[in-house]
Amino acid sequence: ATCSVDRSLMLWKLKTQGRAYRFTGHAEAVTSVEFSPDGQVLASASQDHTVRLWIPCIHGESSVLKGHTASVRSVSFSHDGYSVVSASNDKSIKIWSVCYQRLLFTLVQHTRWVRCAKFAPDGRIIASCGEDNSVKIWDTRNKTCINSFSDYEGCANFVAFNPSGTCIATAGSNHAVKLWDIRTNKLLQHFKVHRAGVNCISFHPSGNYLITASSDGTVKILDLLEERLIYTLHGHQGPVLCVAFSKGGEKFASGGADAQVLLWKTNFDSLDYKEVLKHNFRRTHIDDPPHILDIYPRSPHLHDEKLESVEVNPTFDVPDTLTPDPTVIEIRPSSTISTL
């Protein structure tokens, strides 16, 4: 599923003779879209101040969640699929019930626009980032902010939990990607490998790799165990706005300001977690670098742009870069979802 400033959501069927379904209903640009964990519902956020829940079928059923008073920047499901969290330019974070399609509660402590908010895998905490240069950790049970990371070098555009929920990664407007241990409040890793702001990040399901999308026009893959940049991917003309691994990590997609969505295949998913750990055993136990397996994180580890990595350009490296455009089926909202 993809969203765009053209006010629509697109649902892409990637099998042979693929089709695309365009869902319309938002009145302004759609800023964020996400599938529920079971794939039965779509949630979207828009500059029209609303969040929408969609049943991804040809009937176009959707429900509008109203409560924000400014553009909604991000929307994300809890891992049980029962709740949705949204972040807005009205400086608030709102948590909504998917089943009852209503507002549950609001979190307010950011002093400027909130760019992104995500649930932890266990659903008990939420991480958010905003233009007040802070990253905040919230307890969903007592609805309070329990921690705040300040970064005076710039604001974070995006925040993501690693699969175990022990760390968060932030994508910075100051070109940096940072990993924090939320148990000890320590900075684990600091990558500065982009030449412009980082707009989005996504963890591989193994937790060993992080993919980044930047306004410098590139997508980069970081190896978090070896603490290095391993791939720089070219393909978009202009800023890369979003990136996401597939559920199994065998593919990832990137979307850009060039109105293109690129689908990539990974080449490191054949290594299972034990093999990766075995490969890194000596480095882990002798050098003791600060990586995400450390119980007590050590000093920040800054990565400059001199590290060797592989550059991949689909124009030259991939024989077939364009598949035929799919048939697009227009779907307009026909009715409101009665129950989920």
Side-chain angles (χ1 to χ4, degrees), residues 30-273:
V30 189
T31 53
S32 176
V33 64
E34 187 176 281
F35 271 107
S36 61
D38 63 5
Q40 300 300 306
V41 184
L42 274 171
S44 60
S46 171
Q47 290 179 4
D48 66 9
H49 305 185
T50 68
V51 171
R52 273 183 183 256
L53 299 175
W54 309 77
I55 302 291
C57 67
I58 59 172
H59 303 299
E61 294 173 283
S62 69
S63 287
V64 183
L65 305 180
K66 294 181 179 179
H68 285 293
T69 57
S71 296
V72 188
R73 300 290 284 265
S74 85
V75 66
S76 186
F77 280 93
S78 59
H79 283 239
D80 59 12
Y82 293 161
S83 306
V84 158
V85 60
S86 57
S88 169
N89 285 0
D90 65 10
K91 306 176 188 176
S92 77
I93 298 152
K94 292 185 183 291
I95 290 79
W96 311 81
S97 164
V98 174
C99 298
Y100 300 106
Q101 300 154 50
R102 65 178 178 85
L103 179 65
L104 295 175
F105 56 91
T106 301
L107 302 173
V108 181
Q109 203 171 102
H110 281 286
T111 56
R112 298 185 67 183
W113 295 354
V114 190
R115 286 178 172 260
C116 183
K118 299 281 183 181
F119 276 103
D122 63 7
R124 290 184 299 174
I125 61 173
I126 287 171
S128 64
C129 59
E131 297 194 0
D132 55 6
N133 291 9
S134 74
V135 177
K136 296 188 183 297
I137 306 296
W138 308 82
D139 186 331
T140 59
R141 291 165 295 185
N142 57 24
K143 305 173 184 58
T144 56
C145 179
I146 55 174
N147 202 359
S148 185
F149 302 96
S150 294
D151 189 342
Y152 298 104
E153 298 172 37
C155 71
N157 294 321
F158 197 90
V159 63
F161 280 93
N162 70 336
S164 67
T166 57
C167 302
I168 56 168
T170 58
S173 60
N174 63 337
H175 314 182
V177 173
K178 294 184 177 182
L179 269 77
W180 308 81
D181 187 314
I182 60 172
R183 301 163 299 180
T184 58
N185 307 328
K186 297 286 182 66
L187 178 65
L188 293 180
Q189 293 176 334
H190 180 183
F191 295 91
K192 205 156 188 176
V193 292
H194 283 289
R195 288 179 163 81
V198 186
N199 299 312
C200 188
I201 48 183
S202 179
F203 276 96
H204 186 267
S206 67
N208 300 333
Y209 305 98
L210 190 72
I211 190 164
T212 62
S214 169
S215 292
D216 65 11
T218 67
V219 170
K220 293 181 186 280
I221 299 177
L222 307 172
D223 183 329
L224 300 179
L225 288 179
E226 289 201 346
E227 302 184 280
R228 67 188 184 96
L229 168 67
I230 51 176
Y231 291 109
T232 298
L233 308 174
H234 304 265
H236 288 283
Q237 303 299 315
V240 189
L241 304 176
C242 57
V243 70
F245 273 109
S246 62
K247 198 170 183 179
E250 68 282 351
K251 294 186 181 74
F252 59 92
S254 59
D258 56 4
Q260 284 197 111
V261 176
L262 302 181
L263 190 64
W264 308 78
K265 190 179 186 307
T266 58
N267 67 348
F268 48 74
D269 54 299
S270 57
L271 288 175
D272 69 22
Y273 190 54

